[in-house]
Amino acid sequence: MTKGLLIFIIVILTIAIIHFCSLRMMRVSEEKKWKYKKVFWYIYGFLFATSGCVNTFPFEEFKPFASIELLFGVGIIILTFLGKIETKNPT
C-alpha cells in the first residue's frame, strides 16, 4: 500500500511538472521553441543510443532490439545534425 501511494505521488508530481513546463512554453518565442526542440532531439537521440549501448552488454547473447535501439539513437542524432528532423525555422 505504501509503495503504491509513493508511486502514485511520484506520477502525479511528474505530470504536474510536465504540465507546468508545457504552459510556460506557450509564452516562449518561436525562435526559442525551435532551439529547444533541437536540443530535445539531441538529448532524445543520446539517451536512446546510451540505452541501446547499455542493453547490449554483457555479450553473452545477441540482443537484436538493443542493437536496433542503438542504431535508432545514432540515426536521430545524425538526422538532427543534418537538419532533417526539425520544424520550420521561424527566420
Side-chain angles (χ1 to χ4, degrees):
M1 177 77 178
T2 307
K3 273 185 168 180
L5 188 59
L6 179 65
I7 292 171
F8 176 71
I9 291 171
I10 290 171
V11 168
I12 294 297
L13 286 175
T14 304
I15 292 170
I17 290 169
I18 291 171
H19 179 67
F20 177 75
C21 291
S22 66
L23 288 177
R24 299 288 283 177
M25 285 298 290
M26 286 181 175
R27 296 185 212 146
V28 175
S29 69
E30 289 298 319
E31 187 173 325
K32 279 192 177 182
K33 283 183 189 178
W34 181 75
K35 288 179 183 178
Y36 289 153
K37 288 176 186 178
K38 194 166 190 170
V39 169
F40 166 78
W41 282 112
Y42 276 119
I43 292 171
Y44 185 75
F46 177 74
L47 288 176
F48 230 86
T50 303
S51 175
C53 190
V54 167
N55 288 336
T56 57
F57 295 109
F59 291 118
E60 291 148 0
E61 63 185 55
F62 179 68
K63 300 172 187 169
F65 291 113
S67 301
I68 292 170
E69 190 176 21
L70 175 64
L71 292 174
F72 190 70
V74 171
I76 288 174
I77 292 171
I78 291 171
L79 289 174
T80 304
F81 180 75
L82 294 175
K84 303 295 182 185
I85 300 179
E86 61 186 35
T87 57
K88 292 181 180 178
N89 191 350
T91 57

